[in-house]
């Protein structure tokens, strides 16, 4: 009887662990740079300004009631070549983000976004980078007070199921629970494409966001 | 309606209207600024406030055009619509093209840049932050705006006439400061940055102290150029140290009335030497400049001055900042024409205090109080209260 119970328990745990699927696909990206051309009316930078990061998408699944502990390790939003790197970063609510400076000049990262309003002040390379805990879901648009062409965004999400696309727009969400959920593709502060999806245990669901023409946007 | 306007200001997506899609080889953008300023003084308005009113309102709209052709060519223009370059100079309102330039950067690094046009001087460290959004104050440091008894219009008949001006109230239409604001004179410059060093040299059509009307090449021409330069050293990101120099004729008009026989206006130069330092870390920023200037005054001699300021800005929160600036000017003696010497101007102390609040990335409010003390019977107002709202778009 005991042996049977253990076997049943093992079966239940194993089937629970496997009750997950994969969602993957592509998002059609504009390929546009996130920031404007660098302009300096009265001053000069120490080095060459890198190309502005290209706009990427963040795909995330809204799973009601499921919350995971945010990562214990801080996530990095670098300033390098007078640009934010990466240009788009997605994190779970409660994640600590650090902002190291890899340039020879100062940066002064700030945001006046509703999700987080802050000014990190001027900090240099090799200095202990300032850190923030992003405790409210939403978009945190990043700027540098000194280098006005710099643009970055941190998307703070209430779900652990998210992925940032690569430059070709590809994404993959693994370990997704089975069920019917809303899948979102965030492209910019004005555009999020939404689609209802049904995830099946052990299967890979392909969802392509081919642009605003075929999907609803908010 | 008022609420809608306020919401529009707060919600306006700063900044710049891009005229061509991002990523094109030609990038063109338009941005702008609206400044609403008011000045309240307890007497004759000080510095470069041209109005006689003790309460003066000064709206200003500025448009900035930036055009990049690839990564090596850049053009910039700044147009303003206001009540004068200096508040009250054209009380009825006027539009001007204050700055325009074409810049060539031959390499991918900033080691060499060559530009020509009408643009801000390379002298010192204040001019790089003179625009309303970047300046923690509403007014400029004393050396950049306090008018002296020096004039660019006529030569004094002698030391007596020159020194007699000290007892008069400021005659801003004919008198000059050490440096007139950002000094948008016309000319060309070469500048760059190599590792920890900066350099900049410029040839302009008018001197550092010249008034805005002299900055236009079509008004004054290039017959008496001014040469200016700055060498900078940055030991690390926190510090920026510089030494600046400038020399050139400061009088305008040919022939200049009252010059001694056989002399020309080019024989009388303004020579200026400046030392600047700035430091920043975290939420604190400090700036300082020491400026030594010599005017060669016809029929009088050399009139020397020493000006300095120390300025601090601290961000109390991400939106609120406070700033304090201590300014002083001292003046040497000139022969008084009666066998002795006399100090040619009244020394002055001014303390500026300001607070600012950024409501958004495009909207900023500032409040400034200034106290000035001058050892002169014709002292300007001792107290100045100024407000400024800046909206960037």
């Amino acid at each position: 009887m005991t042996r049977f119970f253990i076997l049943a328990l093992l079966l239940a745990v194993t089937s629970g662990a496997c009750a997950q699927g994969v969602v993957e696909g592509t998002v059609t990206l504009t390929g546009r740079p996130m920031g404007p051309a660098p302009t300096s009316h009265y001053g000069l930078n120490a080095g060459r300004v890198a190309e502005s990061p290209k706009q990427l998408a963040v795909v995330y699944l809204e799973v009601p009631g499921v919350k995971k502990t945010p990562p214990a390790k801080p996530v990095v939003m670098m300033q390098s070549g007078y640009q934010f790197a990466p240009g788009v970063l997605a994190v779970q609510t409660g994640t600590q983000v650090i902002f190291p400076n890899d340039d020879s000049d100062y940066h002064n990262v700030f945001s006046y976004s509703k999700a987080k309003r802050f000014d990190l002040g001027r900090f240099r390379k090799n200095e202990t980078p300032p850190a923030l805990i992003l405790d409210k879901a939403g978009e945190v648009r990043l700027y540098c007070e000194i280098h006005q062409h710099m643009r970055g965004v941190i998307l703070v999400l209430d779900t652990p199921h998210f992925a940032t696309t690569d430059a070709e727009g590809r994404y993959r969400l693994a370990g997704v629970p089975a069920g019917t959920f809303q899948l979102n593709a965030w492209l910019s502060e004005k555009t999020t494409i939404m689609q209802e999806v049904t995830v099946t245990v052990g299967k890979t669901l392909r969802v392509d966001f081919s642009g605003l023409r075929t999907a609803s946007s908010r | 309606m008022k609420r809608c306007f306020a919401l529009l200001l707060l919600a306006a997506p700063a900044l710049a209207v891009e005229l061509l899609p991002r990523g094109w080889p030609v990038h063109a953008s338009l941005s702008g600024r609206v400044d609403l300023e008011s000045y309240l003084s307890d007497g004759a308005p000080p510095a470069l406030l041209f109005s006689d009113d003790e309460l003066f309102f000064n709206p200003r709209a500025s448009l900035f055009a930036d055009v990049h052709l690839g990564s090596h060519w850049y053009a910039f223009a700044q147009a303003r619509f206001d009540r004068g370059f200096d508040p009250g100079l054209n009380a009825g309102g006027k539009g001007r093209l204050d700055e325009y330039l074409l810049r060539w950067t031959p390499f991918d690094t900033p080691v060499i840049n060559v530009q020509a046009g009408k643009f801000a001087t390379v002298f010192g460290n204040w001019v790089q932050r003179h625009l309303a959004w970047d300046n923690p104050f509403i007014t400029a440091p004393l050396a950049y705006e306090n008018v002296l008894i020096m004039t660019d219009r006529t030569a004094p008949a002698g030391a007596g006439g020159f020194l007699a001006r000290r007892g008069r109230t400021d005659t801003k239409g004919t008198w000059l400061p050490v440096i007139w604001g950002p000094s948008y004179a016309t000319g060309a410059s070469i500048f760059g940055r190599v590792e920890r060093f900066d350099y900049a040299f410029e040839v302009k059509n008018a001197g550092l102290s010249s008034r805005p009307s002299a900055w236009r090449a079509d008004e004054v021409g290039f017959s008496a150029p001014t040469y200016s330069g700055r060498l900078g050293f940055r030991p690390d990101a926190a510090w920026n140290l510089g030494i600046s120099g400038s020399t050139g004729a400061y009088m305008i008009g040919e022939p200049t009335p009252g010059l001694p026989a056989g002399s020309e206006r080019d024989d009388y130069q303004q020579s200026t030497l400046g030392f600047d330092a700035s430091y920043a870390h975290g939420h604190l920023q400090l700036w300082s400049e020491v400026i030594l200037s010599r005017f060669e005054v016809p029929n009088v001699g050399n009139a020397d001055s020493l000006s300095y300021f120390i300025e601090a800005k601290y961000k109390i929160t991400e939106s609120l900042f406070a700033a304090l600036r201590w300014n002083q000017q001292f003046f040497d003696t000139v022969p008084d024409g009666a066998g002795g010497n006399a100090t040619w101007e009244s020394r002055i102390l001014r303390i500026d205090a300001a607070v600012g609040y950024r409501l958004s990335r495009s909207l900023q409010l500032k409040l400034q109080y200034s106290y000035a003390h001058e050892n002169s019977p014709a002292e300007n107002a001792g107290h100045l209260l100024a407000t400024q709202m800046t909206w960037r778009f």
Side-chain angles (χ1 to χ4, degrees):
Chain A
M1 184 63 188
T2 310
R3 194 175 295 172
F4 176 76
F5 179 74
I6 291 170
L7 193 67
L9 188 67
L10 272 173
L11 197 65
V13 169
T14 314
S15 66
C18 291
Q20 292 177 335
V22 173
V23 184
E24 65 177 24
T26 58
V27 182
T28 304
L29 303 174
T30 62
R32 293 181 65 201
M34 291 180 70
T39 295
S40 178
H41 296 161
Y42 307 116
L44 288 174
N45 300 317
R48 187 175 183 275
V49 178
E51 278 189 23
S52 173
K54 300 279 194 295
Q55 183 69 55
L56 302 178
V58 175
V59 179
Y60 61 98
L61 198 68
E62 287 183 16
V63 183
V66 175
K67 278 202 172 184
K68 281 189 179 173
T69 313
K73 267 191 165 182
V75 177
V76 175
M77 172 56 88
M78 183 81 85
Q79 297 102 66
S80 181
Y82 303 89
Q83 302 287 3
F84 286 108
V88 177
L89 177 69
V91 299
Q92 196 182 342
T93 314
T95 302
Q96 187 183 50
V97 179
I98 57 172
F99 297 82
N101 176 4
D102 192 40
D103 291 321
S104 301
D105 282 327
Y106 268 140
H107 287 293
N108 189 147
V109 182
F110 73 96
S111 178
Y112 289 147
S113 298
K114 281 180 190 167
K116 196 74 177 180
R117 205 177 158 90
F118 64 88
D119 184 317
L120 299 178
R122 278 148 165 83
F123 53 94
R124 65 170 80 94
K125 192 176 183 174
N126 299 328
E127 192 174 352
T128 304
L132 287 174
I133 291 177
L134 301 177
D135 46 11
K136 189 177 172 186
E139 269 177 46
V140 180
R141 291 185 297 281
L142 304 176
Y143 305 97
C144 175
E145 188 184 58
I146 303 166
H147 307 102
Q148 297 194 5
H149 64 275
M150 288 174 65
R151 298 285 189 281
V153 64
I154 302 176
L155 196 62
V156 187
L157 299 166
D158 270 337
T159 172
H161 303 291
F162 59 82
T164 306
T165 64
D166 63 14
E168 279 72 47
R170 292 183 295 242
Y171 72 92
R172 180 180 166 86
L173 292 172
V176 175
T180 300
F181 309 106
Q182 185 170 288
L183 186 68
N184 302 287
W186 173 95
L187 286 125
S188 72
E189 69 178 293
K190 290 175 186 161
T191 309
T192 300
I193 308 171
M194 295 171 282
Q195 188 169 325
E196 195 174 270
V197 295
T198 300
V199 180
T200 310
V201 175
K203 290 198 172 175
T204 297
L205 176 68
R206 184 164 184 88
V207 182
D208 294 333
F209 295 92
S210 55
L212 299 174
R213 286 172 299 168
T214 56
S216 60
S217 63
R218 69 176 186 195
Chain B
M1 185 65 188
K2 282 179 185 170
R3 191 175 294 175
C4 285
F5 181 66
L7 282 172
L8 179 72
L9 288 181
L10 283 169
L15 308 154
V17 178
E18 295 186 33
L19 303 177
L20 294 169
R22 283 181 192 174
W24 280 34
V26 179
H27 178 269
S29 65
L30 267 183
S31 57
R33 211 183 63 219
V34 173
D35 299 312
L36 302 178
E37 297 168 355
S38 66
Y39 299 90
L40 176 65
S41 55
D42 64 339
L48 290 172
L49 295 172
F50 273 74
S51 170
D52 293 330
D53 302 334
E54 291 183 3
L55 176 61
F56 184 72
F57 177 63
N58 185 53
R60 167 173 289 164
S62 309
L63 267 180
F64 304 89
D66 292 278
V67 180
H68 295 262
L69 179 61
S71 56
H72 298 295
W73 290 94
Y74 167 66
F76 164 65
Q78 180 191 174
R80 289 184 188 174
F81 309 88
D82 52 28
R83 303 181 74 184
F85 182 84
D86 298 299
L89 190 59
N90 302 100
K94 195 177 179 183
R96 295 176 317 279
L97 192 56
D98 275 345
E99 276 190 290
Y100 53 86
L101 62 88
L102 179 66
R103 181 184 300 168
W104 178 49
T105 306
F107 306 113
D108 288 337
T109 56
V111 65
I112 298 176
N113 302 268
V114 181
Q115 73 182 27
K118 182 174 179 291
F119 51 87
T121 181
V122 300
F123 192 98
N125 72 12
W126 177 76
V127 170
Q128 293 182 10
R129 55 192 173 87
H130 72 281
L131 296 178
W133 192 266
D134 306 311
N135 182 3
F137 297 91
I138 299 166
T139 61
L142 207 50
Y144 290 83
E145 66 169 27
N146 181 42
V147 289
L148 312 173
I149 63 169
M150 198 63 57
T151 179
D152 52 357
R153 305 285 184 180
T154 56
F162 177 66
L163 294 171
R165 295 175 191 161
R166 293 177 301 176
R168 298 186 207 145
T169 52
D170 287 354
T171 311
K172 296 171 187 174
T174 55
W175 292 3
L176 303 173
V178 172
I179 303 171
W180 198 301
S183 187
Y184 293 146
T186 305
S189 73
I190 180 166
F191 61 99
R193 189 167 166 187
V194 186
E195 299 291 331
R196 295 179 176 184
F197 297 92
D198 305 91
Y199 69 90
F201 299 100
E202 67 184 17
V203 183
K204 295 281 193 71
N205 71 320
L208 285 183
S209 60
S210 303
R211 65 191 64 254
S213 59
W215 298 342
R216 291 173 48 179
D218 59 333
E219 293 277 325
V220 173
F222 271 95
S223 58
T226 285
Y227 303 90
S228 306
R230 180 179 181 275
L231 292 173
F233 174 59
R234 302 171 196 242
D236 61 24
W239 288 94
N240 190 347
L241 311 171
I243 178 167
S244 304
S246 178
T247 184
Y250 66 95
M251 304 185 85
I252 55 174
E254 196 102 72
T256 306
L259 286 181
S263 66
E264 298 176 347
R265 63 169 177 152
D266 304 4
D267 298 333
Y268 301 94
Q269 306 268 310
Q270 180 195 5
S271 300
T272 308
L273 182 65
F275 302 92
D276 63 80
S278 66
Y279 171 83
H281 190 256
H283 295 104
L284 175 69
Q285 289 174 268
L286 300 168
W287 300 271
S288 182
E289 281 189 64
V290 178
I291 298 168
L292 300 150
S293 193
R294 165 171 291 177
F295 289 91
E296 295 170 356
V297 186
N299 305 316
V300 177
N302 295 333
D304 296 345
S305 66
L306 184 152
S307 315
Y308 78 91
F309 70 85
I310 301 169
E311 181 176 329
K313 175 188 173 186
Y314 188 77
K315 286 182 194 165
I316 299 162
T317 69
E318 70 277 358
S319 299
L320 180 68
F321 65 83
L324 194 65
R325 183 168 60 203
W326 178 281
N327 314 256
Q328 277 190 284
Q329 279 187 301
F330 302 94
F331 303 92
D332 204 354
T333 56
V334 293
D336 62 7
N341 290 301
T343 306
W344 66 273
E345 248 294 12
S346 308
R347 70 181 177 191
I348 179 168
L349 159 72
R350 199 180 77 196
I351 301 164
D352 304 311
V355 289
Y357 193 85
R358 288 188 177 170
L359 286 92
S360 71
R361 210 174 130 248
S362 56
L363 190 59
Q364 176 176 269
L365 306 174
K366 283 192 279 188
L367 172 69
Q368 177 181 331
Y369 166 73
S370 295
Y371 166 76
H373 177 65
E374 199 174 351
N375 294 323
S376 168
E379 191 175 359
N380 286 313
H383 304 276
L384 174 75
L385 196 63
T387 62
Q388 184 185 60
M389 185 185 88
T390 300
W391 175 45
R392 297 198 298 178
F393 58 92

